[in-house]
Amino acid sequence: QVQLVESGGGLVQAGDSLRLSCAASGRTFSEYRYGMGWFRQAPGKEREFVAAINWSGGSTVRADSVKGRFAISRDNAKNTLYLQMNSLKPEDTAVYYCAATRTLIARASSDYDYWGQGTQVTVSS
C-alpha cells in the first residue's frame, strides 16, 4: 500500500511560480523503485499528463504544454516528488495529482497504480 499526499497548491497570479510537493509513504513504496508522475485536471476537462520521472531521476518526460516552464524532480531520501512551476498561466489552473507506477516511467494515467487526492492550483490573470 502506498499513500501519496500533495501539497503546495494555492492562488497565484499569472507569471508567478509555485512548487508542488508529493509526500509518499507506506511500506510498499519504501521497498520498490516507483516511477512517479504529475497529472492535472481542469474543470470540465479530462485528466492531463504533466510530467513523469523514473526512480533515479535520470529520466524525465514532460508534456509539450509545460516544457520550458515546469520541472519534475524527486528526493528519494525524503520520499518526496516535486513539481516546480514557473511562468504560470491561467490555463494551468487545475487540480494537480501525483501518482506512482511500477513501470519504469509512464505518461498514461492507466499505468499508474497509486494516486494522491490532489492539490488545487489557481492562476489569476
Side-chain angles (χ1 to χ4, degrees), residues 19 26 41 43 51 59 75 77 97 117:
R19 184 180 177 89
Q41 188 166 23
S59 181
D75 186 340
Y97 300 89
Q117 293 297 308

Side-chain angles (χ1 to χ4, degrees), residues 51-66:
I53 187 169
N54 71 337
W55 181 86
S56 70
S59 181
T60 63
V61 60
R62 292 177 293 176
D64 289 341
S65 61
V66 304

Side-chain angles (χ1 to χ4, degrees), residues 39-50 65 69 89-97 109:
F39 293 78
R40 66 186 183 185
Q41 188 166 23
K45 300 185 68 175
E46 297 292 318
R47 185 167 296 187
E48 175 189 26
F49 170 77
V50 176
S65 61
R69 299 190 299 121
K89 305 174 181 179
E91 49 263 46
D92 294 319
T93 295
V95 176
Y96 283 72
Y97 300 89
S109 60

Side-chain angles (χ1 to χ4, degrees), residues 7-61:
S7 63
L11 175 63
V12 298
Q13 294 185 340
D16 285 352
S17 296
L18 204 59
R19 184 180 177 89
L20 304 184
S21 298
C22 174
S25 62
R27 185 181 65 185
T28 302
F29 188 86
S30 298
E31 296 176 347
Y32 195 85
R33 296 183 175 184
Y34 287 92
M36 301 289 291
W38 287 99
F39 293 78
R40 66 186 183 185
Q41 188 166 23
K45 300 185 68 175
E46 297 292 318
R47 185 167 296 187
E48 175 189 26
F49 170 77
V50 176
I53 187 169
N54 71 337
W55 181 86
S56 70
S59 181
T60 63
V61 60

